[in-house]
Amino acid sequence: QVQLVDSGGGLVQPGGSLRLACAVSGRSQSNYGIGWFRRAAGKEREFVAARTWSGPNRYYADSVKGRFTISRDNAKNTVYLQMNNLKAEDTAVYYCVNGGYWGQGTQVTVSS
């Protein structure tokens, strides 16, 4: 079983930046990729970004391409989502996911 703990959310003004972190412990699902989804109030959950567990491939939703970057620190077993030039429409709860396991989510609010 794998445990995912999401952190790093908060309140930021439009154009600002945040870095989300997903700390992975337990038996990580290395046969699967790891990524981020988000759910805004009143909307369906949507894909944000993902990467292969150990390979170089990265995938991004069109809405975040060029603004968000997913990365991994092997030594800390943590996956990050660097979010730049944030917009009001990025406001949502962000969840890390790996092999069917989900983090608890972290709230991101973009507002002036």
Side-chain angles (χ1 to χ4, degrees), residues 28-42:
S28 58
Q29 304 298 296
S30 58
N31 290 332
Y32 299 89
I34 186 164
W36 293 89
F37 281 71
R38 67 186 181 188
R39 175 175 283 166

Side-chain angles (χ1 to χ4, degrees), residues 4-74:
L4 306 173
V5 178
D6 304 329
S7 62
L11 172 64
V12 64
Q13 292 186 345
S17 298
L18 282 174
R19 187 177 76 161
L20 305 184
C22 173
V24 184
S25 61
R27 189 174 181 177
S28 58
Q29 304 298 296
S30 58
N31 290 332
Y32 299 89
I34 186 164
W36 293 89
F37 281 71
R38 67 186 181 188
R39 175 175 283 166
K43 295 186 177 181
E44 296 290 322
R45 185 171 58 196
E46 65 173 355
F47 167 76
V48 177
R51 57 160 293 160
T52 48
W53 184 257
S54 56
N57 297 327
R58 311 285 188 271
Y59 308 92
Y60 297 96
D62 288 342
S63 59
V64 307
K65 278 181 183 176
R67 300 188 298 122
F68 290 12
T69 303
I70 187 170
S71 63
R72 180 184 170 204
D73 185 329
N74 292 337

Side-chain angles (χ1 to χ4, degrees), residues 3-6 22-23 94-98 101-106:
Q3 293 81 43
L4 306 173
V5 178
D6 304 329
C22 173
Y94 285 70
Y95 300 89
C96 179
V97 58
N98 170 236
Y101 294 91
W102 293 79
Q104 84 284 4
T106 184

